[in-house]
C-alpha cells in the first residue's frame, strides 16, 4: 500500500489530477478534453451498451447511473424509461451535473456527489430504491469492490438488476508497443484494480446475486480508425504530456502511426448483469 501511495504522489507531482479518497484513486484528468474523450469512448461502445440496456431497462422503471459523467448514457436511459420512469445520476463534477440536468427532461435528476470507498451514496439517492443500477468504467479506481457491490445491491428493489461494465485487460497492439506496456505497468502500481472486470461475476455472486449475463469483447482497429483515435487521445491527454513514458516508447509510437497495417486493440471489456433476489435490507 505504501508503494502504491508513493507512485500516486509521483504522478500527482506531474500534475495528473486524481481523486484521492480512502479506497478510491481516480487517475484521469478532467476538463473539456477529457469530456471529448469520454464522448468518443461512449460512441465506440454505444452499440453494445445500448443493446444491453435495451434488454434490461423498460418503461416506467427507476434507474441509477453511477458516475454518469457528461451524460453519455443518461439520455439513452431516459428514453428507455420514458416519461413515467425516472433516471437518477451520481456525478462528482459540478459542471457536468449542471449540464446534464439542464439538457435532459424532467424525468432525469443528477445529484452532485461521489460514490464512497465502500459504496456509500449521498442523499437523496440513499433514500431511493431502483429497478436498475448502471455503473461503467468506475470500479477500477476503487479497492473495496465487494463492499461497493453489496451497498449498491441494497439500493435495488427485489428482483432489481445491477449492470456493471469494466475493463479486464489493457491496450495491446500488433506490432507490440512499448508505450502501451509502460502505461499498463504504471496503472498496475496505482491503488485500485484495472483488471477488475473479470472478477465482477464472482463478487456479485458473493452478494447473493444471480448472474444473468456475462460477456467479454474487444474492439480493434487500424491506424486512423475510431479505436486508434480513442487510444491516441488517451495517450496524448493522460500519459505523454506528463512524461509518463520513455523516449524509446515515444519514438516507437511515432513510427507505429506510419504503418498502414498496424492494429490497435482497445482494452478487453467485461459486461456483467446480476439480479438481486434478496429482499432489500432497508424497507
Amino acid at each position: 500500500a505504501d508503494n502504491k501511495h508513493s507512485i500516486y504522489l509521483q504522478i500527482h507531482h506531474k500534475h495528473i489530477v486524481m481523486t484521492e479518497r480512502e479506497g478510491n484513486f481516480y487517475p484521469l484528468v478532467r476538463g473539456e478534453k477529457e469530456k471529448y474523450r469520454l464522448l468518443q469512448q461512449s460512441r465506440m461502445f454505444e452499440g453494445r451498451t445500448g443493446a444491453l440496456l435495451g434488454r434490461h431497462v423498460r418503461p416506467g422503471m427507476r434507474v441509477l447511473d453511477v458516475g454518469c459523467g457528461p451524460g453519455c448514457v443518461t439520455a439513452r436511459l431516459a428514453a428507455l424509461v420514458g416519461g413515467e420512469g425516472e433516471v437518477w445520476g451520481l456525478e462528482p463534477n459540478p459542471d457536468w451535473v449542471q449540464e446534464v440536468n439542464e439538457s435532459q427532461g424532467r424525468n432525469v435528476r443528477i445529484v452532485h456527489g461521489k460514490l464512497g470507498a465502500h459504496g456509500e451514496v449521498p442523499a437523496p439517492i440513499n433514500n431511493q430504491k431502483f429497478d436498475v443500477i448502471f455503473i461503467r468504467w468506475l470500479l477500477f479506481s476503487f479497492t473495496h469492490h465487494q463492499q461497493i457491490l453489496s451497498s449498491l445491491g441494497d439500493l435495488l428493489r427485489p428482483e432489481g438488476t445491477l449492470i456493471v461494465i469494466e475493463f479486464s485487460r489493457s491496450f495491446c497492439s500488433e506490432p507490440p508497443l512499448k508505450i502501451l506496456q509502460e502505461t499498463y505497468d504504471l496503472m498496475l502500481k496505482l491503488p485500485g484494480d484495472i483488471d477488475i472486470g473479470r472478477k465482477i461475476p464472482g463478487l456479485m455472486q458473493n452478494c447473493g446475486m444471480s448472474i444473468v449475463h456475462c460477456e467479454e469483447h474487444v474492439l480493434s482497429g487500424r491506424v486512423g480508425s475510431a479505436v486508434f483515435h480513442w487510444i491516441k487521445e488517451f495517450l496524448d491527454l493522460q500519459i505523454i504530456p506528463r512524461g509518463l513514458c520513455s523516449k524509446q516508447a515515444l519514438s516507437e509510437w511515432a513510427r507505429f502511426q506510419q504503418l498502414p497495417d498496424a492494429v490497435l486493440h482497445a482494452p478487453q471489456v467485461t459486461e456483467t448483469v446480476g439480479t438481486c433476489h434478496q429482499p432489500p435490507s432497508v424497507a
Side-chain angles (χ1 to χ4, degrees):
D2 290 341
N3 180 54
K4 289 194 171 188
H5 192 262
S6 174
I7 293 293
Y8 160 74
L9 292 176
Q10 293 174 29
I11 295 175
H12 188 71
H13 182 67
K14 291 177 181 289
H15 310 295
I16 285 188
V17 178
M18 299 180 69
T19 299
E20 180 182 6
R21 308 186 68 192
E22 180 189 356
N24 173 215
F25 288 71
Y26 188 79
L28 303 179
V29 301
R30 299 190 183 276
E32 284 302 309
K33 290 184 178 179
E34 174 62 2
K35 175 184 174 182
Y36 171 79
R37 190 189 70 81
L38 289 174
L39 292 172
Q40 184 181 32
Q41 174 177 275
S42 184
R43 284 192 293 269
M44 281 177 48
F45 291 94
E46 66 182 352
R48 291 194 63 92
T49 300
L52 184 63
L53 294 176
R55 293 195 294 270
H56 297 282
V57 180
R58 298 184 298 277
M61 281 186 164
R62 179 184 293 158
V63 178
L64 174 62
D65 186 358
V66 181
C68 60
C72 300
V73 176
T74 310
R76 182 179 288 272
L77 290 172
L80 288 170
V81 301
E84 299 301 314
E86 301 175 22
V87 175
W88 291 66
L90 178 64
E91 171 55 40
N93 186 322
D95 294 333
W96 290 351
V97 170
Q98 180 178 355
E99 180 179 326
V100 178
N101 277 328
E102 291 178 351
S103 64
Q104 298 299 317
R106 290 196 220 173
N107 65 337
V108 173
R109 180 177 181 182
I110 310 302
V111 175
H112 179 231
K114 299 174 181 178
L115 181 67
H118 297 85
E120 308 90 340
V121 295
I125 292 177
N126 61 351
N127 296 318
Q128 306 296 318
K129 292 296 178 183
F130 299 93
D131 298 292
V132 175
I133 296 177
F134 176 79
I135 181 168
R136 181 172 73 166
W137 302 323
L138 183 61
L139 292 181
F140 78 93
S141 62
F142 288 80
T143 55
H144 304 297
H145 304 108
Q146 188 71 77
Q147 294 95 321
I148 290 172
L149 293 175
S150 179
S151 296
L152 293 177
D154 287 341
L155 294 175
L156 288 170
R157 290 170 171 166
E159 305 301 319
T161 299
L162 177 60
I163 302 174
V164 179
I165 300 177
E166 283 290 341
F167 293 125
S168 296
R169 293 178 182 169
S170 187
F171 312 102
C172 60
S173 64
E174 300 167 13
L177 277 168
K178 189 174 181 63
I179 193 171
L180 300 183
Q181 184 61 53
E182 289 180 355
T183 298
Y184 181 68
D185 292 342
L186 173 67
M187 297 294 286
L188 285 175
K189 295 175 182 177
L190 293 172
D193 187 349
I194 62 170
D195 293 324
I196 187 60
R198 67 187 64 181
K199 303 171 187 176
I200 295 297
L203 294 173
M204 280 189 180
Q205 289 175 323
N206 291 342
C207 296
M209 296 184 186
S210 298
I211 304 303
V212 298
H213 171 87
C214 184
E215 190 170 321
E216 295 182 333
H217 62 92
V218 176
L219 296 181
S220 304
R222 298 183 185 276
V223 172
S225 67
V227 172
F228 166 81
H229 285 294
W230 173 58
I231 294 175
K232 185 177 186 299
E233 284 286 336
F234 174 81
L235 296 174
D236 288 347
L237 179 62
Q238 311 285 359
I239 303 298
I240 295 173
R242 292 158 182 83
L244 297 175
C245 58
S246 65
K247 291 183 178 180
Q248 178 185 353
L250 275 177
S251 299
E252 182 187 64
W253 171 234
R255 293 193 300 271
F256 180 93
Q257 296 177 60
Q258 306 304 315
L259 301 175
D261 295 327
V263 176
L264 281 167
H265 305 285
Q268 180 171 288
V269 171
T270 303
E271 305 167 345
T272 308
V273 180
T275 300
C276 181
H277 295 294
Q278 297 179 344
S281 59
V282 179

